[in-house]
Amino acid sequence: QVQLVESGGGLVQAGGSLRLSCAASGRTFGTYAMGWFRQAPGKEREFVAHINWSGSNTIYADSVKGRFTISRDNTKNTGNLQMNSLKSEDTAVYYCAARPTTANIKDASKYDYWGQGTQVTVSS
């Protein structure tokens, strides 16, 4: 069992940066792959980034590639999403999620555990 709690969201101007954190409980977090998703009002939840259990492999949505960086520290049971050069279209609730396998990583339904979400608002 893994419990996830996001933090770090807020209001930022376009071009600014935010760093989201995902604190995990449970001894098995280090064996789980982790993903970040986001959901804007009236839209479906969409994939943002993924990192495998060891942190050696990362994958990004095209819309955030080169601007966002996903990372994790298994010694601290935390994951992070560094977001730079933010745009108004990045405004959404951001969720971290965890799963024991790495197939179909962009499919939200394949993730077993979810945090409650943190709001990111980018003003233009």
Side-chain angles (χ1 to χ4, degrees):
Q1 193 81 348
V2 176
Q3 292 182 324
L4 305 172
V5 178
E6 303 95 336
S7 61
L11 174 64
V12 64
Q13 289 188 334
S17 299
L18 280 175
R19 184 176 177 86
L20 304 184
S21 294
C22 178
S25 63
R27 293 178 295 173
T28 59
F29 174 72
T31 65
Y32 280 69
M34 191 181 75
W36 285 92
F37 288 77
R38 66 187 182 187
Q39 188 166 18
K43 295 187 177 181
E44 293 187 353
R45 191 167 298 190
E46 68 170 351
F47 170 77
V48 174
H50 174 272
I51 189 167
N52 69 338
W53 69 272
S54 68
S56 63
N57 186 46
T58 58
I59 298 173
Y60 297 91
D62 288 343
S63 59
V64 306
K65 200 173 296 182
R67 299 188 298 122
F68 291 11
T69 302
I70 188 172
S71 63
R72 67 188 297 162
D73 185 342
N74 289 338
T75 65
K76 298 180 179 179
N77 273 11
T78 58
N80 296 289
L81 185 68
Q82 177 67 43
M83 306 186 296
N84 298 329
S85 301
L86 283 161
K87 306 175 181 180
S88 58
E89 52 261 44
D90 294 319
T91 295
V93 177
Y94 283 71
Y95 300 88
C96 65
R99 55 180 292 183
T101 61
T102 55
N104 301 315
I105 61 168
K106 299 181 180 181
D107 185 347
S109 69
K110 303 299 184 184
Y111 288 76
D112 298 320
Y113 304 103
W114 290 85
Q116 83 289 349
T118 185
Q119 176 70 48
V120 171
T121 303
V122 184
S123 63
S124 56

